[in-house]
Amino acid sequence: MANGKTVSDSSLLQTLFNLWPYMWPTGRPDLKMRVVWAAVYLLVSKFVLLLVPYFFKWSTDALNGKMDLAGKVPDLFVGATALVIAYNLTRLIQLGLNQLRDALFASVGQHAVRQLAYKTFVHMHELSLRFHLERKTGGLSRVIERGTKGIETIVRFTILNSVPTLIEFLLTAVIFWWGYGFSYLAVTAFTVWAYIWFTIRASDWRIAIRRTMNDSDTDANTKAIDSLLNFETVKYFGNEEMEARRFDRSMERYEKAATDVWTSLGWLNFGQGVIFGLGTTVMLILSALAVQRGEQTVGDFVFVNAMLLQLSVPLNFIGFVYREIRQGLTDIEQMFDLLEVKAEVMDAPDAEPLDIKQGAISFKDVHFSYDPARPILKGISFEVPAGKTVAVVGPSGAGKSTLSRLLYRFYDIQSGSVSVDGQDIRTVTQKSLRSAIGMVPQDTVLFNDTVAYNVRYGRPSATDAEVKAAAEIAQIAHFIDLLPEGFDTKVGERGLKLSGGEKQRVAIARTVLKAPPILILDEATSALDTTTERDIQTALDVVSKNRTTLVIAHRLSTVIGADEIIVLKSGEIAERGTHAALLQKNGLYASMWNRQREATQAEEHLKQVREKDDMGVVNRLAPAT
Ligand SMILES: Nc1ncnc2c1ncn2[C@@H]1O[C@H](COP(=O)(O)OP(=O)(O)O)[C@@H](O)[C@H]1O
Ligand SMILES: [Mg+2]
C-alpha cells in the first residue's frame, strides 16, 4: 500500500526522470537501439490499430453497396470478403507488433532493474555500522526487492501502457475531429476526461479500503497464530471461548472490509460503464442523425462505434494501472531514499593509504558516545607498542568492544585521536586501515557456504594448501578431517551447524590467512568452556606472536601474559599494569581475579564429579556453547 503518502504527478515525473539514465544506458548502444525500435513498433502498432475500424467501415459500406471501391483502394482490397480478411489481418499484425515491442523492451527494463539493484547493494555496504544496527536487514532487502519490482511496474505501466494509451487517445481524437467534426472530438475528450477523473477518485477511495482489509487480515492472522502458540496457556485457563471471540472480532472487521472491497469494485465498474455508456450514446446519436440526414454512411456509424469500443479496452485497465503505478512509485521512492542516505564515516577528501610499518596503536584522550546523551568513553589513553600485546578487561558494558569498533573506524570519535603508526586513522583510507587489522569477534557469524569458503574469506586468493595450513594453526584441521565432506561441508545459515568453539576457530583460521600486522581479539574465548578455551588460546598465542595485539577479555586467565593490562570501568581506565603488578595492588583487578579463580575451581570440581558419575559423556555430546 502507498504508506499514507500521496503520490503526485510531479513525483511520477521525478521518478521517470530518475529512471531515465537506466532506460537509456550510456555505453549500451544495443539497449538504446532496442528502445528506439520498441518506440517505432509502438507507433506503428497504434497506426495499424486505427486501421482496424476503417476496414470495418469499408466492409460495411461494401456490403451495403454504398462504396465504389474501384480506384480508391488497391485491387486486393476490392470486395467485402477481402476487406473482412484485411480487417482481421490488421488486428493480428497489431497484436504481433505489440508482442515484439514488449519483448524488445523486456531486456531494457530488466537491465535497469539489475543496475539499480547492484547500485543499491553496493551502497548498503558503504553505509555505516550504525545505519545497519538501526535497520532490520530483512527490512532492507525487502526495500530493494520491492523497489526493483516497482521499476518493472512503472516501466510496464507507464512506458508500455499509459503512454501508448495516450497516443491512441490523441490519434482517435484527431481522426474524429478531422473526419467528423469538432463535436465528436469534444464528446470523446470529455468522456475520457470524466472517465479518468472518476477512476482516480474511486481508486483512491478503494486503496484506503484495501488497506483496512489488509490490516485486519494481518491482525486476525497474528491473533490466530499467537493463540495457537499459547495452546497450553489457553487450556490452563480454559479460555478457548474468549480466544475464539477475540479472533472472530478481527475476522468481523476483515469480513466488512473485504465486502467493501468487492462492493466498491462494483461501484467503480458501474460508474465507469455509465460514463462511457453516456459518451458512446451521445456519439452514436450524433452519427445516427448524420446517417439519416445522408451526411454519413452506415459504415461511418459502425466506424464510430468500433473506434469507441477499441478505446474502451485500455481505459478499462486504468484503475488497475493507476493503483499499480502508485504502489510502484512508493516502492521506488523508498529505494531512491535509501540510495540518498549518506555514509556516516567517510574518507577524508585527501585520504592516503595507511603507511603501515609495525602497527603501533595509540589512543590519546579519546572521548566517544554513540548517543550524545550518554558518554561511553571518557578520556581513554593507551598505547600498544609494535608487536606487543595489551589486554583490556573490565565489567560488561564498560566500553571494551567500543575500543575495537573505534580502531576499525566504524564510528568517528568526538575528541582525542586514534592513530596507527603515528597516522591519525581519520586521515587514511578506511580500506587500507581495515586491511591492516584482523579481528576475531566474540560471536562469529559464518557465511552459509562451505568450511573452505569461510576460511578462504580471509584472503580469497589463497591456495588450498594455504587454507589447510591456516586451519592447522587455528587447531581446527583435525575437526575438519572428521567431517564427512571435509572442507566442502556446508556450515548452514550463519554457521549454525558448527558449535561456538568450531566457528571461533574458523574465524581464527581466516584471520591467519589475512595475516594482518594488527590483531584484535574481542572476547574471542569467553563463550566457551574451559577445555575448548585452552585449545583456542593455544591457537591465538601462535597467531598473535610478533603482531601488535589488542586483547579484550572477560576471562582473566587468558591475559596473564599480556605486556600491559588495562582495567576499564564505566568508560574510564581504573587500573593498569602487568598481571603481577595489578595483583599486588590488590584493587579491582585483584578482586576480579580472585572471584574468577573461585568460579573456575568450582567448575573444575564439578567436572571431576561428573566424570566420575559418567555424566561427562552426556555433557561432551552437547554443543560446546
Ligand atoms: N551501537 C550502539 N548504540 C548505542 N549504544 C551502544 C552501542 N553499542 C554499544 N552501546 C553501549 O555502549 C556501552 C559499551 O558497550 P561495549 O563497548 O560493547 O561494552 P563491552 O565493554 O561489554 O564490550 C554499553 O553500555 C552499550 O549499551
Ligand atoms: Mg564487548
Side-chain angles (χ1 to χ4, degrees):
M1 285 298 104
N3 260 353
K5 251 192 194 176
T6 46
V7 176
S8 59
D9 303 342
S10 68
S11 76
L12 174 61
L13 286 181
Q14 183 61 44
T15 304
L16 287 178
F17 185 76
N18 284 340
L19 281 179
W20 181 245
Y22 299 94
M23 294 291 141
W24 190 250
T26 36
R28 286 297 299 269
D30 56 321
L31 290 181
K32 286 184 180 176
M33 269 330 274
R34 278 172 176 264
V35 176
V36 171
W37 278 112
V40 169
Y41 287 139
L42 167 66
L43 281 176
V44 174
S45 105
K46 285 300 160 196
F47 276 109
V48 172
L49 182 70
L50 290 175
L51 279 181
V52 175
Y54 272 111
F55 279 113
F56 202 38
K57 164 183 149 90
W58 292 334
S59 318
T60 316
D61 284 343
L63 284 171
N64 264 335
K66 280 277 166 59
M67 199 174 191
D68 179 18
L69 290 164
K72 273 198 178 169
V73 287
D75 283 351
L76 176 70
F77 292 151
V78 175
T81 323
L83 281 170
V84 169
I85 293 173
Y87 162 67
N88 282 299
L89 206 62
T90 352
R91 284 167 56 131
L92 260 182
I93 293 174
Q94 195 260 339
L95 188 70
L97 284 170
N98 275 351
Q99 302 313 314
L100 215 63
R101 174 202 71 193
D102 287 0
L104 274 174
F105 213 83
S107 62
V108 181
Q110 292 309 324
H111 181 73
V113 166
R114 185 178 135 206
Q115 291 282 301
L116 260 168
Y118 176 78
K119 197 171 157 186
T120 319
F121 181 81
V122 170
H123 186 67
M124 290 300 94
H125 272 296
E126 278 165 4
L127 288 177
S128 312
L129 181 65
R130 187 196 300 273
F131 175 87
H132 285 281
L133 289 180
E134 283 168 7
R135 296 278 292 237
K136 285 210 187 80
T137 316
L140 279 183
S141 62
R142 253 201 314 283
V143 169
I144 301 182
E145 188 190 314
R146 286 216 206 106
T148 47
K149 231 178 80 199
I151 297 168
E152 279 194 82
T153 311
I154 294 291
V155 168
R156 173 146 354 109
F157 290 119
T158 46
I159 302 183
L160 299 182
N161 184 301
S162 302
V163 173
T165 306
L166 196 70
I167 293 175
E168 185 178 339
F169 167 70
L170 288 177
L171 288 174
T172 310
V174 167
I175 288 173
F176 275 143
W177 190 15
W178 169 69
Y180 299 92
F182 184 73
S183 48
Y184 288 79
L185 165 71
V187 176
T188 323
F190 181 76
T191 309
V192 170
W193 174 80
Y195 191 100
I196 293 176
W197 178 83
F198 171 76
T199 306
I200 288 178
R201 292 304 286 279
S203 298
D204 282 342
W205 171 57
R206 290 196 68 228
I207 287 171
I209 299 179
R210 277 186 90 94
R211 198 177 303 146
T212 321
M213 178 181 85
N214 288 343
D215 288 351
S216 40
D217 182 36
T218 316
D219 186 44
N221 245 319
T222 322
K223 292 230 168 79
I225 292 173
D226 196 36
S227 172
L228 292 177
L229 281 179
N230 280 297
F231 183 80
E232 281 177 300
T233 317
V234 175
K235 299 285 153 191
Y236 292 152
F237 295 96
N239 277 342
E240 293 90 343
E241 269 174 41
M242 188 179 95
E243 288 294 321
R245 270 201 308 277
R246 218 159 75 102
F247 174 70
D248 194 47
R249 265 202 302 280
S250 304
M251 281 307 286
E252 191 184 347
R253 273 196 297 277
Y254 175 79
E255 180 190 6
K256 172 148 183 0
T259 317
D260 285 351
V261 164
W262 283 105
T263 354
S264 64
L265 179 65
W267 279 113
L268 173 66
N269 286 338
F270 184 67
Q272 287 176 332
V274 167
I275 292 172
F276 204 77
L278 280 178
T280 317
T281 313
V282 173
M283 294 276 275
L284 287 180
I285 288 177
L286 283 176
S287 176
L289 290 176
V291 175
Q292 273 182 347
R293 285 198 303 270
E295 289 164 15
Q296 288 180 15
T297 62
V298 178
D300 287 315
F301 182 77
V302 168
F303 175 81
V304 170
N305 189 37
M307 270 303 235
L308 287 174
L309 264 184
Q310 205 157 277
L311 195 60
S312 76
V313 176
L315 282 181
N316 239 327
F317 287 109
I318 276 209
F320 174 68
V321 168
Y322 173 73
R323 213 173 62 217
E324 290 291 314
I325 288 183
R326 245 183 80 155
Q327 182 63 51
L329 280 182
T330 322
D331 291 345
I332 293 184
E333 263 169 29
Q334 280 178 1
M335 190 159 101
F336 277 121
D337 283 351
L338 207 57
L339 276 173
E340 305 233 309
V341 177
K342 292 263 178 301
E344 179 190 335
V345 176
M346 284 199 283
D347 282 349
D350 54 352
E352 302 248 339
L354 175 70
D355 177 19
I356 191 105
K357 289 169 215 105
Q358 279 127 349
I361 304 167
S362 152
F363 276 65
K364 279 204 193 87
D365 195 25
V366 170
H367 286 262
F368 173 76
S369 62
Y370 292 100
D371 182 330
R374 188 177 154 226
I376 302 288
L377 298 181
K378 304 158 191 162
I380 300 291
S381 302
F382 68 92
E383 288 188 4
V384 191
K388 300 281 191 223
T389 296
V390 167
V392 180
V393 300
S396 158
K400 305 181 298 293
S401 297
T402 304
L403 292 175
S404 72
R405 285 179 214 127
L406 293 183
L407 186 58
Y408 246 97
R409 206 174 162 222
F410 280 146
Y411 299 89
D412 274 332
I413 54 179
Q414 270 86 42
S415 70
S417 74
V418 178
S419 44
V420 172
D421 277 342
Q423 301 150 72
D424 191 310
I425 59 171
R426 281 167 295 194
T427 63
V428 300
T429 61
Q430 295 171 67
K431 201 174 161 60
S432 66
L433 172 70
R434 291 179 188 151
S435 74
I437 310 174
M439 169 91 176
V440 181
Q442 176 174 355
D443 301 305
T444 300
V445 175
L446 299 183
F447 292 96
N448 187 3
D449 208 301
T450 61
V451 176
Y453 177 86
N454 275 290
V455 173
R456 189 172 273 125
Y457 205 78
R459 179 154 49 88
S461 62
T463 63
D464 284 351
E466 284 171 320
V467 169
K468 250 200 157 86
E472 295 282 354
I473 296 175
Q475 315 267 320
I476 184 109
H478 177 64
F479 164 76
I480 295 173
D481 284 341
L482 290 178
L483 292 173
E485 290 173 75
F487 273 95
D488 293 328
T489 309
K490 296 260 186 208
V491 299
E493 196 161 327
R494 298 168 73 85
L496 277 178
K497 289 190 191 161
L498 299 189
S499 76
E502 290 150 8
K503 272 192 287 197
Q504 209 68 311
R505 275 173 281 183
V506 170
I508 295 171
R510 67 186 178 198
T511 310
V512 169
L513 266 191
K514 184 176 178 181
I518 298 173
L519 192 64
I520 306 175
L521 310 172
D522 187 356
E523 311 211 20
T525 59
S526 66
L528 313 175
D529 59 77
T530 25
T531 329
T532 321
E533 178 179 355
R534 248 167 248 151
D535 287 350
I536 294 187
Q537 199 54 49
T538 324
L540 287 176
D541 288 344
V542 177
V543 179
S544 61
K545 208 166 190 177
N546 296 326
R547 288 208 164 92
T548 311
T549 310
L550 185 65
V551 186
I552 293 164
H554 181 68
R555 224 171 271 177
L556 304 183
S557 56
T558 57
V559 301
I560 299 173
D563 297 291
E564 187 183 25
I565 296 170
I566 290 169
V567 183
L568 203 63
K569 197 186 166 205
S570 316
E572 282 167 318
I573 296 181
E575 286 173 29
R576 63 202 300 170
T578 59
H579 176 69
L582 284 172
L583 279 188
Q584 204 141 50
K585 219 172 176 181
N586 212 5
L588 187 58
Y589 182 83
S591 70
M592 280 163 66
W593 172 257
N594 289 330
R595 230 179 358 217
Q596 285 194 5
R597 216 179 39 184
E598 279 161 25
T600 319
Q601 277 164 358
E603 193 185 324
E604 297 273 310
H605 177 69
L606 202 65
K607 212 166 149 195
Q608 279 166 11
V609 174
R610 275 184 182 158
E611 265 162 17
K612 262 190 215 139
D613 290 356
D614 230 354
M615 280 284 290
V617 178
V618 181
N619 269 313
R620 255 177 277 125
L621 284 178
T625 53

